[in-house]
Amino acid sequence: MADRKEDDILSEKDEPESEDETYEVVDLTEYARRHQWWSMVFGNNSGPLAEKYSVTTQIAMGGVTGWCAGYLFQRVGKIAATAIGGGFLLLQIANHSGYVQVDWKKVEKDVNKAKKHLKRTKQAAPEINSFFEEATEFVKKNIVLSSGFVGGFLLGLAS
Protein backbone atom coordinates (compact mmCIF):
# COMPACT_ATOMS: atom_id res chain seq x y z
CA MET A 1 0.00 0.00 0.00
CA ALA A 2 2.97 2.30 0.59
CA ASP A 3 4.04 1.79 -3.06
CA ARG A 4 0.92 3.44 -4.50
CA LYS A 5 0.78 7.17 -4.95
CA GLU A 6 -1.39 8.98 -2.44
CA ASP A 7 -3.47 10.58 -5.23
CA ASP A 8 -4.47 7.08 -6.29
CA ILE A 9 -5.36 6.25 -2.69
CA LEU A 10 -7.49 9.37 -2.28
CA SER A 11 -9.36 8.97 -5.58
CA GLU A 12 -9.89 5.23 -5.33
CA LYS A 13 -13.30 4.03 -4.18
CA ASP A 14 -13.10 1.14 -1.78
CA GLU A 15 -15.62 -1.61 -2.28
CA PRO A 16 -16.88 -3.15 0.94
CA GLU A 17 -15.53 -6.66 1.38
CA SER A 18 -18.37 -7.71 3.61
CA GLU A 19 -21.31 -6.10 5.35
CA ASP A 20 -18.91 -3.96 7.37
CA GLU A 21 -17.20 -1.26 5.33
CA THR A 22 -13.48 -0.76 5.76
CA TYR A 23 -11.92 2.68 5.86
CA GLU A 24 -8.38 3.81 5.39
CA VAL A 25 -6.88 6.06 8.07
CA VAL A 26 -5.14 9.12 6.66
CA ASP A 27 -2.53 10.86 8.81
CA LEU A 28 -3.20 14.59 8.35
CA THR A 29 0.23 15.65 9.60
CA GLU A 30 1.98 13.64 6.88
CA TYR A 31 -0.54 14.82 4.30
CA ALA A 32 0.06 18.46 5.27
CA ARG A 33 3.83 18.05 4.95
CA ARG A 34 3.51 16.68 1.41
CA HIS A 35 0.95 19.22 0.14
CA GLN A 36 1.84 22.89 0.06
CA TRP A 37 -1.76 24.08 -0.46
CA TRP A 38 -2.73 22.59 2.91
CA SER A 39 -0.17 24.79 4.64
CA MET A 40 -1.30 27.86 2.69
CA VAL A 41 -4.94 27.36 3.71
CA PHE A 42 -4.52 26.23 7.31
CA GLY A 43 -1.16 27.77 8.20
CA ASN A 44 2.11 26.14 9.04
CA ASN A 45 1.19 25.50 12.65
CA SER A 46 -2.09 23.92 13.58
CA GLY A 47 -1.18 23.27 17.20
CA PRO A 48 -1.86 25.25 20.37
CA LEU A 49 -1.48 29.01 20.49
CA ALA A 50 1.86 28.72 22.25
CA GLU A 51 3.39 27.63 18.94
CA LYS A 52 1.85 30.45 16.88
CA TYR A 53 2.17 33.71 18.83
CA SER A 54 4.64 35.33 21.20
CA VAL A 55 4.00 35.43 24.93
CA THR A 56 3.13 39.14 24.93
CA THR A 57 0.64 38.66 22.09
CA GLN A 58 -1.00 35.77 23.93
CA ILE A 59 -1.28 37.79 27.15
CA ALA A 60 -2.72 40.76 25.25
CA MET A 61 -5.24 38.60 23.38
CA GLY A 62 -6.27 36.83 26.57
CA GLY A 63 -6.47 40.08 28.51
CA VAL A 64 -8.64 41.85 25.95
CA THR A 65 -11.04 38.93 25.51
CA GLY A 66 -11.14 38.41 29.28
CA TRP A 67 -11.92 42.07 29.92
CA CYS A 68 -14.75 41.99 27.36
CA ALA A 69 -16.18 38.81 28.88
CA GLY A 70 -15.88 40.20 32.43
CA TYR A 71 -17.51 43.49 31.49
CA LEU A 72 -20.42 41.72 29.77
CA PHE A 73 -20.74 39.28 32.68
CA GLN A 74 -20.94 42.23 35.09
CA ARG A 75 -23.61 44.04 33.05
CA VAL A 76 -25.72 40.95 32.39
CA GLY A 77 -25.36 39.89 36.03
CA LYS A 78 -26.65 43.23 37.25
CA ILE A 79 -29.63 43.07 34.91
CA ALA A 80 -30.43 39.48 35.90
CA ALA A 81 -30.14 40.26 39.62
CA THR A 82 -32.41 43.27 39.21
CA ALA A 83 -35.00 41.24 37.29
CA ILE A 84 -34.99 38.35 39.78
CA GLY A 85 -35.05 40.66 42.79
CA GLY A 86 -37.85 42.75 41.27
CA GLY A 87 -39.84 39.59 40.57
CA PHE A 88 -39.53 38.47 44.18
CA LEU A 89 -40.50 41.94 45.37
CA LEU A 90 -43.61 41.94 43.18
CA LEU A 91 -44.56 38.46 44.41
CA GLN A 92 -44.21 39.57 48.03
CA ILE A 93 -46.35 42.66 47.38
CA ALA A 94 -48.96 40.49 45.63
CA ASN A 95 -48.90 38.00 48.52
CA HIS A 96 -49.25 40.75 51.12
CA SER A 97 -52.12 42.37 49.17
CA GLY A 98 -53.97 39.06 48.91
CA TYR A 99 -53.61 38.53 45.15
CA VAL A 100 -51.50 35.40 45.64
CA GLN A 101 -52.00 32.65 48.21
CA VAL A 102 -48.96 30.44 48.92
CA ASP A 103 -49.50 26.87 50.15
CA TRP A 104 -46.46 26.70 52.46
CA LYS A 105 -47.08 23.04 53.40
CA LYS A 106 -46.83 22.05 49.73
CA VAL A 107 -43.68 24.18 49.30
CA GLU A 108 -42.08 22.48 52.31
CA LYS A 109 -43.06 19.04 50.98
CA ASP A 110 -41.55 19.79 47.54
CA VAL A 111 -38.34 21.16 49.09
CA ASN A 112 -37.92 18.04 51.23
CA LYS A 113 -38.54 15.85 48.18
CA ALA A 114 -35.84 17.76 46.25
CA LYS A 115 -33.39 17.40 49.17
CA LYS A 116 -33.90 13.62 49.22
CA HIS A 117 -33.36 13.45 45.47
CA LEU A 118 -30.12 15.44 45.74
CA LYS A 119 -28.81 13.18 48.51
CA ARG A 120 -29.36 10.11 46.30
CA THR A 121 -27.56 11.51 43.26
CA LYS A 122 -24.18 12.82 44.40
CA GLN A 123 -22.27 12.22 41.15
CA ALA A 124 -22.16 14.75 38.34
CA ALA A 125 -23.39 13.88 34.86
CA PRO A 126 -20.76 12.41 32.52
CA GLU A 127 -21.24 15.32 30.10
CA ILE A 128 -20.16 17.77 32.82
CA ASN A 129 -17.11 15.67 33.66
CA SER A 130 -16.01 15.50 30.01
CA PHE A 131 -16.51 19.27 29.63
CA PHE A 132 -14.27 19.93 32.65
CA GLU A 133 -11.63 17.54 31.30
CA GLU A 134 -11.62 19.33 27.93
CA ALA A 135 -11.47 22.76 29.60
CA THR A 136 -8.59 21.63 31.83
CA GLU A 137 -6.70 20.28 28.82
CA PHE A 138 -7.20 23.58 26.93
CA VAL A 139 -5.93 25.61 29.91
CA LYS A 140 -2.87 23.35 30.23
CA LYS A 141 -2.02 23.73 26.53
CA ASN A 142 -2.59 27.51 26.51
CA ILE A 143 -1.57 28.58 30.00
CA VAL A 144 -0.30 32.03 28.99
CA LEU A 145 -3.48 32.90 27.08
CA SER A 146 -5.62 31.52 29.91
CA SER A 147 -3.82 33.53 32.57
CA GLY A 148 -4.24 36.69 30.48
CA PHE A 149 -7.95 35.89 30.12
CA VAL A 150 -8.40 35.45 33.88
CA GLY A 151 -6.64 38.74 34.62
CA GLY A 152 -8.69 40.56 31.99
CA PHE A 153 -11.89 38.96 33.25
CA LEU A 154 -11.23 40.18 36.79
CA LEU A 155 -10.45 43.68 35.49
CA GLY A 156 -13.66 43.62 33.44
CA LEU A 157 -15.67 42.68 36.52
CA ALA A 158 -14.09 45.55 38.45
CA SER A 159 -14.74 48.21 35.79
Side-chain angles (χ1 to χ4, degrees), residues 60-72:
M61 286 175 22
V64 169
T65 56
W67 182 85
C68 291
Y71 185 77
L72 287 175

Side-chain angles (χ1 to χ4, degrees), residues 60-104:
M61 286 175 22
V64 169
T65 56
W67 182 85
C68 291
Y71 185 77
L72 287 175
F73 188 78
Q74 174 200 30
R75 295 295 177 189
V76 171
K78 283 182 180 180
I79 292 169
T82 303
I84 292 170
F88 282 134
L89 181 64
L90 288 175
L91 280 175
Q92 285 296 335
I93 291 171
N95 184 28
H96 184 70
S97 300
Y99 291 112
V100 177
Q101 294 292 328
V102 178
D103 186 4
W104 290 108

Side-chain angles (χ1 to χ4, degrees), residues 7-77:
D7 292 334
D8 293 335
I9 294 171
L10 293 175
S11 64
E12 183 178 290
K13 292 185 179 178
D14 293 332
E15 295 294 324
E17 296 173 4
S18 65
E19 291 180 15
D20 297 330
E21 292 186 18
T22 58
Y23 297 98
E24 180 180 351
V25 177
V26 177
D27 185 16
L28 289 179
T29 56
E30 281 297 316
Y31 186 79
R33 285 188 192 124
R34 290 189 296 247
H35 289 82
Q36 293 297 323
W37 68 270
W38 185 273
S39 297
M40 288 173 23
V41 172
F42 295 106
N44 292 330
N45 297 354
S46 60
L49 287 173
E51 298 174 0
K52 294 182 182 179
Y53 300 106
S54 69
V55 173
T56 54
T57 305
Q58 290 180 60
I59 290 175
M61 286 175 22
V64 169
T65 56
W67 182 85
C68 291
Y71 185 77
L72 287 175
F73 188 78
Q74 174 200 30
R75 295 295 177 189
V76 171

